[in-house]
Amino acid sequence: MSLDAGQAGQGTPRKRADSVRNEQVLLAAAAAVFVGSGVDAPVREIAGRAGVGVGTIYRHFPTRADLIIAVYRHQVEACAEAGPALLANTESPHSALGQWVDLFVEFLVTKHGLAAALQNDRDGFDALHTYFVDRLVPVCAHLLQAAVAAGEIDADIGAYELLRGVGNLCAGEGKDPQYNADRLVKLLIRGLARPAPRRG
Amino acid sequence: MSLDAGQAGQGTPRKRADSVRNEQVLLAAAAAVFVGSGVDAPVREIAGRAGVGVGTIYRHFPTRADLIIAVYRHQVEACAEAGPALLANTESPHSALGQWVDLFVEFLVTKHGLAAALQNDRDGFDALHTYFVDRLVPVCAHLLQAAVAAGEIDADIGAYELLRGVGNLCAGEGKDPQYNADRLVKLLIRGLARPAPRRG
DNA sequence: TGGTAAAGGGAACGTCGCTCCGTTTGACTA
DNA sequence: TAGTCAAACGGAGCGACGTTCCCTTTACCA
């Protein structure tokens, strides 16, 4: 096994600054391209958007699966961190929940691509899936809780249940032009809202 | 819908002889290549095996889905016709059943490829699927019946059930090197056999 | 048997994933 | 601060692919 990584700060911080910067840029570019063109998007498109050469991509992510996995973890993390941030910056918790679910839906594109890319590696996929569940369910639960506390929604749905439902709504998205998952998800979230007290 | 095909023999038999011959050759070649290299096999490989140019393939089957559908129908038909033939030419009906299931398994490669190629067209796929069931279940039932009549197997399994079971055993075949569907199918068929009467 | 439209064949084009290697650059040392 | 050097970069280039285009061949009918 190689302990070469230079984060423990033994004597020499190995990673060059431009390298770590490019890795971040690549993850962001790949995420955007996946959402726009699917996970089968050409490598050159990702490189172009990131403003780097294709060689750089292959240096950081030797296989397409490596790239997808990295984007996936990156997005799980970003999605998880966005939850509390949205809650803090948005007046209504229910609205924050809606915005957060939008992020979640975008991210599902990568997740579904991941499943296709890891057909061979059931174990690897399962590991990433439990990571995904463990990381995001609490965030969603937190948002739900806040909305309940604010009296905006009822407390009759669980976080896992909601995420699972949204995920299922997005299954097969993009295949059938008749089917628009986004719209259905929006409706679902709107349906969570407690009816406003009648005025009169 | 186009009724252009020239089989009703109005005035002029439109189709040229070499055209129909090449179409048959192409279907056979494509079927063989699909089994050997999967449904994503290069067009040139199919053309090469058929001994024709790539242009000829595109003339007959403008899209890959067209080709796969045609191979699929062709194989369903061939598989259906092979049932009675095997029964007539093989001493033991149970053995005939085994050989027939081998054909069926080969054919499943195309069927699974079909599902992938027709993601957009759920209706088209469903139509082909019911065609497949309607055509092959009776053939399988006939083989089972013969084996039962010969006292080689028990009558406790239905044709649909058996085909479904074989189909499920073959799901995901080729992805995981640990998993060999062929072997399991063989075991399943062998398991149908009635134990030979004890001697002694 | 000759004319003709259908069918065939395959070179050629554009795109893709991926590699390879000359060039650039960040980081460490003297 | 200047010099050194390995790590990182970029993109031309390779081989393989799907698809098209057009010239050649051929089966059919009068």
Side-chain angles (χ1 to χ4, degrees):
Chain A
M1 55 198 67
S2 58
L3 322 169
D4 49 3
Q7 73 276 33
Q10 194 75 344
T12 46
R14 296 297 194 311
K15 266 273 197 185
R16 270 169 50 164
D18 56 345
S19 177
V20 305
R21 182 169 10 99
N22 269 335
E23 187 160 327
Q24 293 304 309
V25 171
L26 273 173
L27 286 175
V33 169
F34 286 169
V35 171
S37 312
V39 284
D40 289 332
V43 176
R44 291 194 223 290
E45 184 178 345
I46 299 171
R49 179 182 272 258
V52 305
V54 290
T56 302
I57 292 190
Y58 284 99
R59 172 174 306 278
H60 285 281
F61 310 105
T63 75
R64 182 172 284 267
D66 291 328
L67 175 59
I68 296 180
I69 289 174
V71 170
Y72 179 81
R73 304 192 78 107
H74 192 249
Q75 282 188 308
V76 169
E77 211 50 40
C79 200
E81 286 169 6
L86 282 170
L87 206 50
N89 299 331
T90 310
E91 285 192 15
S92 142
H94 177 250
S95 162
L97 178 65
Q99 292 176 249
W100 185 76
V101 166
D102 284 347
L103 290 180
F104 178 73
V105 167
E106 278 202 352
F107 152 70
L108 284 175
V109 173
T110 307
K111 177 161 169 53
H112 290 149
L114 186 79
L118 261 59
Q119 289 174 329
N120 302 328
D121 187 5
R122 167 69 55 181
D123 287 346
F125 179 74
D126 287 346
L128 284 172
H129 181 72
T130 63
Y131 165 64
F132 152 83
V133 170
D134 292 349
R135 192 75 178 87
L136 293 186
V137 164
V139 174
C140 182
H142 187 207
L143 284 160
L144 281 171
Q145 214 171 348
V148 169
E152 293 179 343
I153 71 174
D154 289 323
D156 54 5
I157 188 170
Y160 179 77
E161 193 180 1
L162 177 59
L163 291 186
R164 184 71 191 258
V166 172
N168 284 350
L169 282 177
C170 293
E173 170 72 345
K175 307 300 172 64
D176 185 349
Q178 308 283 352
Y179 183 75
N180 184 335
D182 254 5
R183 191 163 41 223
L184 292 172
V185 170
K186 287 258 191 303
L187 288 174
L188 177 64
I189 299 302
R190 202 171 64 185
L192 285 177
R194 233 179 183 168
R198 287 183 179 280
R199 58 191 176 107
Chain B
M1 53 204 66
S2 56
L3 321 169
D4 50 3
Q7 72 279 30
Q10 194 74 347
T12 45
R14 298 292 197 310
K15 268 271 198 184
R16 269 171 49 167
D18 58 342
S19 177
V20 304
R21 180 168 12 97
N22 269 334
E23 187 161 328
Q24 293 304 311
V25 172
L26 272 173
L27 287 175
V33 169
F34 286 170
V35 171
S37 312
V39 284
D40 289 332
V43 176
R44 292 196 222 292
E45 184 178 345
I46 300 171
R49 180 182 272 256
V52 304
V54 291
T56 303
I57 291 190
Y58 282 99
R59 173 175 306 279
H60 286 281
F61 311 104
T63 74
R64 182 172 284 266
D66 291 328
L67 175 59
I68 296 179
I69 288 173
V71 170
Y72 179 81
R73 304 192 78 108
H74 191 250
Q75 282 188 307
V76 170
E77 212 51 41
C79 199
E81 287 169 7
L86 282 170
L87 206 50
N89 299 331
T90 310
E91 285 192 17
S92 142
H94 177 250
S95 162
L97 178 64
Q99 292 177 249
W100 186 77
V101 167
D102 283 348
L103 290 180
F104 178 74
V105 167
E106 277 202 352
F107 152 71
L108 284 175
V109 174
T110 308
K111 177 159 167 54
H112 290 149
L114 186 79
L118 261 59
Q119 290 174 328
N120 301 327
D121 186 4
R122 167 69 56 180
D123 288 347
F125 180 75
D126 288 346
L128 284 171
H129 182 73
T130 64
Y131 165 65
F132 152 84
V133 170
D134 291 350
R135 192 76 178 86
L136 294 186
V137 165
V139 174
C140 183
H142 187 208
L143 283 161
L144 281 172
Q145 216 170 346
V148 169
E152 292 180 344
I153 71 173
D154 290 320
D156 54 5
I157 189 170
Y160 179 77
E161 193 180 1
L162 177 58
L163 292 186
R164 184 72 192 259
V166 172
N168 283 350
L169 282 178
C170 293
E173 171 71 346
K175 308 301 172 61
D176 185 350
Q178 307 283 353
Y179 183 75
N180 185 336
D182 254 6
R183 191 163 40 221
L184 292 173
V185 171
K186 287 260 191 301
L187 288 174
L188 177 64
I189 300 303
R190 201 172 65 183
L192 286 176
R194 234 180 181 168
R198 287 183 180 280
R199 59 191 176 104

